[in-house]
């Protein structure tokens, strides 16, 4: 989907997103205080870094090493389940950091582990949704997701984009694959770990095989 289409979809979505976003912001402010928006550095097109926006879903830490899971509030869990926490990313689309459809943006420390082939994933602007999102999202491993994104980049078309939008709408009504088992996406190394070679096999519209590091944490959802 080209830039003009991205902006058209964003304007249409904004008719609902703006008043809904204001309501969500008020609820977050009332239940968790400020800030309302969570910002995180991600890698965009050609590896250029930008600050992705999300609604805050976790309260402040009670102690330094407190894990994330207990910090997710009831409102935060609902926002994550419905993907409403990602509404502020419409502004990322307006700014040109992201598009509507494309590979989901990952952390720079994760991109540092990409092979030359996997860096092909950075050829497009990252998207609000994408082929990997509608084919498994966080329920599949990172190597599988990367291969799906690379397949999309090679085969992208208006018809495929429309199909992804339709499947995304279906997933918003019946959310699946929001988090992996245990909250960890397997198959991608944490920055402190040395990558070990492994092979991930997935089924695409045509068969594909990927070689990628294994064992990882999830720093982001989708």
């Amino acid at each position: 989907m080209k830039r003009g289409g991205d902006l058209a979809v964003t304007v249409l979505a904004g008719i609902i997103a703006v008043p809904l976003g204001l309501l969500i912001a008020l609820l977050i402010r009332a239940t968790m205080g400020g800030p309302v928006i969570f910002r995180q550095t991600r890698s965009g097109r050609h590896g250029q870094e930008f600050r992705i926006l999300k609604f805050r879903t976790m309260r402040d830490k009670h102690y330094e090493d407190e894990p994330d899971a207990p910090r997710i509030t009831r409102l935060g869990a609902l926002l994550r389940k419905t993907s409403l926490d990602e509404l502020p990313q419409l502004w990322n689309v307006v700014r040109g950091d992201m598009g509507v459809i494309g590979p989901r943006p990952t952390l720079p420390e994760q991109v540092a582990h990409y092979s030359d082939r996997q860096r092909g994933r950075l050829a497009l602007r990252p998207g609000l949704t994408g082929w990997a999102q509608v084919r498994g999202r966080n329920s599949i491993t990172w190597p599988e997701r990367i291969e799906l994104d690379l397949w999309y980049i090679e085969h992208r078309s208006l018809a495929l984009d429309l199909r992804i939008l339709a499947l995304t709408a279906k997933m918003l009504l019946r959310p699946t694959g929001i988090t992996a088992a245990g909250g960890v996406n397997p198959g991608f190394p944490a920055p402190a770990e040395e990558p070990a070679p492994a092979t991930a096999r997935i089924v695409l519209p045509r068969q594909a095989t990927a070689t990628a590091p294994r064992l990882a944490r999830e720093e982001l959802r989708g």
Side-chain angles (χ1 to χ4, degrees), residues 5 11 24 39 52 61 71 102-103 107 109 119 122 126 141 148-149 158 163 168 180 184 206 208 210 215:
V11 169
I24 292 171
R39 294 172 172 84
I52 198 171
K61 291 183 178 180
R71 297 169 54 215
L107 296 163
E109 52 263 42
R119 289 192 68 84
L122 304 175
T141 67
L148 287 164
D149 288 330
L158 178 59
R163 182 181 178 190
T168 299
V184 176
R206 66 177 188 180
L215 295 177

Side-chain angles (χ1 to χ4, degrees), residues 143-154:
E144 290 174 310
R145 293 170 69 180
I146 291 172
E147 284 299 309
L148 287 164
D149 288 330
L150 292 173
W151 184 91
Y152 167 76
I153 290 170
E154 183 179 350

